[in-house]
Amino acid sequence: MHASSPGLTEAETARAVPDRAADDPLLRFQRAVTAHPNRTALTTPAGERLTFSALDARARLLASALAAAGVRPGAAVGVSLDRGPHLVTALLAVWRVGAAYVPLDPAHPAERLDHMVADAGISVVVAAGEGHDRAGRVRVVAPDSGAVFPVPEAAVPPGAPAYVIYTSGSTGRPKGVTVTRGGVAHLMRSLEEGGVYADTPGRVAWNASISFDASVQQWVRVCRGDGLLLLTDELRAEPEALGAYLAEHGATDLDTTPAHWTALRDQVVAAAALLPDRPLRLFVGGEAIPPAMWADLAELSDRGLVSAVNLYGPTECTVDATAGRVTGDGPHIGPPLPGVGAYVLDDALRPSDEGELYLTGPGLAEGYRHRPALTSERFPADPFGPPGSRMYRTGDRARWRADGTLEYLGRVDHQVKVNGFRVELGEIETALTDHHEVSAAVVVVRRDTAGATLAGYVVPRAGAVLDLPRLRERLAARLPAYMLPSLTGLAALPLSVGGKVDRSALPEPAIDGAGDPAGTGSGDVLPEGEFETTVATAWEEVLGRTKVLATDDFFALGGHSLMALRVVADLKRRLGVVIPTKLVYRHPVLRDLAREAAALKNR
C-alpha cells in the first residue's frame, strides 16, 4: 500500500500526543500573553498597534458580553466584521466561551446569509453598526461590548467545534463544514513539525477573507506568539502600497493564491529585497500553481528573496494536509504533513500509484452540519486504519511520485477553484434552472492569462424569451459575486454521443454584446464625462477590450474578483480616490460605478 510514510492515523497521533488538549490554540494564546505581554500582536495599515496583553483584555471583555447574551459552549456565533482588531478580538472571544464562530460576509447576498444563520442555528452575531440582525432573528453584540461578570476558565475538549465555514454545495445550497478545536491544534502542530513555520516569532500578513478556511492558518498564528499584519481590502487591491506596508513592518510571512500572486508579484518581490529577515516565507494555496509560476518562484528562491511553499488541503481537513517546497523539480503538492495520512486509491478503494486522494488524521472535520448522508459519503470508514477511524474522500486525482511527494492531477467531479475560491458548478447551475424561464443550464470555467472566469450557458423554456441581464440580477441576489458567471443563451446544449452535455463543444461566451444590461434598448451608450471615460479606460485595460459601453456590466464582460482589484488600483492612480472593492460588486454597471467614484471624489 502506497500510503504516506510521514503520516499517522487519528489513533496513532492520539497515542503519540497523549495530552492533545494542551495544544488547544486558545491555551497557546494565553501562554503567549503570559510570556510576552508587551509584544505587538496586531498591526493595522492605519498604524494602530495592539499588544498581546491588550488583545487578551479585549477578548476577555467581549467573551463576558457573549456569555451574558446567552452564548454557551458548543453554540455557533455569527461574526460579521471587516479584517481588523475587532475581528481578531471576536474570534478569540468566541473560543473563550467554548463556542464556534461562523463567518458572515456582509458582501454576500442576504438570502445566502439567512440560509447560513438558520442552518448553523445562530442566535447571536458579533457585528459593528446596523444591518446585521438578519431580520431581527438574532441578537447583535458589538465587538467592543463587555459585561460585569468574567467568563470562568474552562477546559475545552479537542472535539469541541471551533468554526463552521460554508462552502459551495452541488445541491444549490452552501454546506457548513464543522471543524474542531483539536483540528486547529493539529494544523498548528503539523505546520510547525513540518518546518513550514519558523521557530522564532514572525510578522504574518493576514491576507485571506475570514469566509474562507485559508484565513484560519493565518489568523491563528497569533495564538503561537506571532504578530499579525492586518491587510484591508483596499490594501490588497493596491500592490505598490501592499509591498510598502510589508517592507515597512518587516513582514516574514505572506499567504496568497496563485491568481493573487500574479497581481502582487513585482511589488512583493521588490519589498522582499528590503526585508531584514530574508527570505520572505510565501505560502501559496487555494489552487494549482502553473508551471511557469512554479519556475519563477523557484528562481526567486534561488536568489534568496522568497521561500515558497505550495500548501494543499480541503476545508474538510482543517486547511492544510500537504506541503511542497517550490523548487526546480516542477509543480507538486509535496508530502503529507506530520500527523496526516494519505492514500491514493482506485475506484475499488485499492492502493494505486494514481487515483483519488483520501486523507486521514486528527485534522478531519466533524462533518457537514445537518447533512448526515453527505457526511457518511465523504467521510467513509478507513479500511486501512484501526476500527472507528475515518478518511476523507477529497475528490482530487493525484499521483505518487518516486520521491514520496504527491502530484495534483485535477478533479473527479465538477468542483473547481476559481481564483482561489472553491466553487461547485452544480450550485450555480441549480440557481439558474430554478428560474421559471430556464429549461437547462451548464456552467464551465474559462481560463486565460488574466485568470479564470465562469461562463454560464442557458436554454429557455419553450416559448420563453430570456432576459439575460435580469437573470443575472436574480442570480446576484442568491450567489456571492465570485460565483456569478457571464451568461450566453443557446437554443440547445451540445450533447455527446452518449447524451451528456459536451462541454468542449460549447461556444465562446457571448460577451461582446453585453451592453445595456438594464434592458432599456438604448443601444451603444458611450461613456460620457471624466468619470465614465476614466472607468471605461480602466476596464478596457484590465479586461483586454477595445471598447466598453456606459451600460456594460463588469462581470458580464468576463471580469472577476482579481480583475476588480486591478480596476480599483487603476482608478486610484487615475482619479486619486480609493474605491472599496465591494463597490465594484454592488455597482457592476460602468455608469453606476462612475457615479459612485464621483461621489467619493467630491466628498
Side-chain angles (χ1 to χ4, degrees):
M1 178 178 65
H2 198 161
S4 59
S5 55
L8 302 174
T9 64
E10 292 175 87
E12 289 170 332
T13 301
R15 289 195 295 271
V17 187
D19 188 16
R20 287 165 60 188
D23 285 338
D24 181 81
L26 188 61
L27 291 179
R28 293 191 63 175
F29 173 72
Q30 292 168 350
R31 292 200 294 268
V33 172
T34 300
H36 306 285
N38 296 320
R39 178 186 291 165
T40 299
L42 307 178
T43 302
T44 72
E48 181 182 359
R49 293 175 183 266
L50 208 61
T51 64
F52 274 87
S53 61
L55 176 60
D56 181 52
R58 290 189 184 187
R60 289 174 181 270
L61 196 63
L62 179 56
S64 67
L66 292 175
V71 177
R72 297 294 179 262
V77 177
V79 177
S80 182
L81 295 166
D82 293 330
R83 199 182 299 109
H86 280 325
L87 177 55
V88 183
T89 300
L91 301 178
L92 291 170
V94 170
W95 280 359
R96 271 196 61 79
V97 294
Y101 70 82
V102 184
L104 299 174
D105 190 336
H108 286 185
E111 180 182 338
R112 191 178 189 84
L113 295 176
D114 286 344
H115 167 75
M116 292 162 60
V117 167
D119 187 70
I122 293 171
S123 60
V124 174
V125 172
V126 181
E130 301 298 327
H132 301 279
D133 65 352
R134 307 269 51 89
R137 292 192 296 271
V138 300
R139 181 171 178 176
V140 178
V141 174
D144 55 357
S145 298
V148 175
F149 301 103
V151 177
E153 299 288 346
V156 177
Y163 59 86
V164 181
I165 281 186
Y166 280 79
T167 68
S168 183
S170 58
T171 62
R173 288 288 187 182
K175 55 184 182 291
V177 181
T178 301
V179 174
T180 65
R181 292 272 280 265
V184 179
H186 157 76
L187 171 70
M188 297 172 65
R189 185 172 59 246
S190 66
L191 290 169
E192 289 169 337
E193 294 176 0
V196 178
Y197 291 162
D199 294 333
T200 55
R203 293 171 297 281
V204 182
W206 179 4
N207 188 24
S209 165
I210 192 63
S211 296
F212 300 96
D213 70 322
S215 66
V216 178
Q217 189 266 109
Q218 295 165 53
W219 85 261
V220 296
R221 296 286 296 272
V222 77
C223 294
R224 64 187 296 271
D226 295 313
L228 297 181
L229 303 178
L230 305 183
L231 306 183
T232 61
D233 287 340
E234 290 75 17
L235 192 60
R236 293 180 72 249
E238 300 179 54
E240 291 184 6
L242 175 57
Y245 179 63
L246 298 178
E248 177 186 358
H249 296 286
T252 60
D253 302 68
L254 173 66
D255 202 298
T256 183
T257 64
H260 197 198
W261 176 249
T262 299
L264 301 179
R265 190 262 184 208
D266 292 348
Q267 288 76 14
V268 171
V269 169
L274 304 174
L275 294 175
D277 299 318
R278 287 201 300 267
L280 174 69
R281 286 180 177 243
L282 187 67
F283 304 138
V284 187
E287 57 192 345
I289 299 178
M293 181 181 293
W294 183 282
D296 180 58
L297 288 171
E299 193 268 336
L300 291 173
S301 178
D302 291 340
R303 291 167 53 191
L305 293 172
V306 304
S307 177
V309 178
N310 186 21
L311 294 174
Y312 162 86
T315 302
E316 291 83 350
C317 296
T318 315
V319 190
D320 297 321
T322 73
R325 302 285 174 179
V326 180
T327 60
D329 58 351
H332 61 83
I333 59 174
L337 287 164
V340 177
Y343 309 128
V344 175
L345 308 177
D346 63 17
D347 292 342
L349 297 185
R350 294 173 302 203
S352 174
D353 287 336
E354 182 177 321
E356 187 170 356
L357 179 61
Y358 290 75
L359 298 171
T360 68
L364 263 61
E366 180 181 297
Y368 301 108
R369 202 168 183 89
H370 307 313
R371 303 283 293 277
L374 182 61
T375 298
S376 297
E377 175 190 341
R378 303 304 299 187
F379 293 86
D382 178 359
F384 311 107
S389 60
R390 302 178 302 153
M391 58 183 183
Y392 174 67
R393 180 182 181 183
T394 67
D396 290 325
R397 291 172 47 245
R399 175 192 299 126
W400 284 110
R401 304 196 328 168
D403 60 359
T405 60
L406 288 160
E407 183 178 350
Y408 174 78
L409 301 177
R411 292 290 298 177
V412 300
D413 56 21
H414 290 153
Q415 184 190 111
V416 298
K417 285 291 186 74
V418 180
N419 303 316
F421 296 101
R422 174 170 160 178
V423 174
E424 292 276 5
L425 298 180
E427 181 176 0
I428 308 173
E429 292 168 351
T430 298
L432 286 169
T433 54
D434 278 352
H435 191 277
H436 66 280
E437 293 183 343
V438 176
S439 67
V442 65
V443 179
V444 299
V445 177
R446 299 284 185 180
R447 300 185 186 276
D448 55 31
T449 56
T453 58
L454 294 167
Y457 299 85
V458 290
V459 177
R461 294 190 182 278
V465 177
L466 283 177
D467 185 333
L468 295 181
R470 291 193 176 181
L471 176 60
R472 198 170 189 282
E473 287 179 7
R474 292 174 64 93
L475 209 61
R478 178 165 172 176
L479 301 175
Y482 66 86
M483 292 180 67
L484 297 179
S486 63
L487 294 179
T488 300
L490 298 177
L493 295 176
L495 302 178
S496 65
V497 176
K500 295 183 179 181
V501 176
D502 185 355
R503 294 170 184 264
S504 64
L506 290 166
E508 287 296 314
I511 60 175
D512 288 333
D516 194 25
T520 61
S522 55
D524 286 3
V525 181
L526 297 176
E528 300 176 347
E530 175 192 2
F531 290 93
E532 288 187 10
T533 55
T534 302
V535 173
T537 301
W539 283 21
E540 289 165 357
E541 194 169 291
V542 170
L543 296 167
R545 301 174 66 83
T546 58
K547 175 185 175 183
V548 295
L549 304 178
T551 50
D552 275 337
D553 182 297
F554 180 74
F555 297 102
L557 293 177
H560 53 68
S561 58
L562 292 173
M563 286 183 175
L565 292 179
R566 292 169 58 191
V567 165
V568 167
D570 194 301
L571 291 178
K572 180 180 184 297
R573 184 174 63 254
R574 296 175 188 274
L575 295 173
V577 60
V578 176
I579 299 174
T581 309
K582 61 186 177 183
L583 285 185
V584 182
Y585 298 125
R586 293 178 180 173
H587 305 282
V589 175
L590 189 149
R591 176 158 286 171
D592 295 340
L593 182 61
R595 183 176 61 249
E596 294 297 317
L600 288 171
K601 179 74 172 180
N602 294 326
R603 281 181 184 173

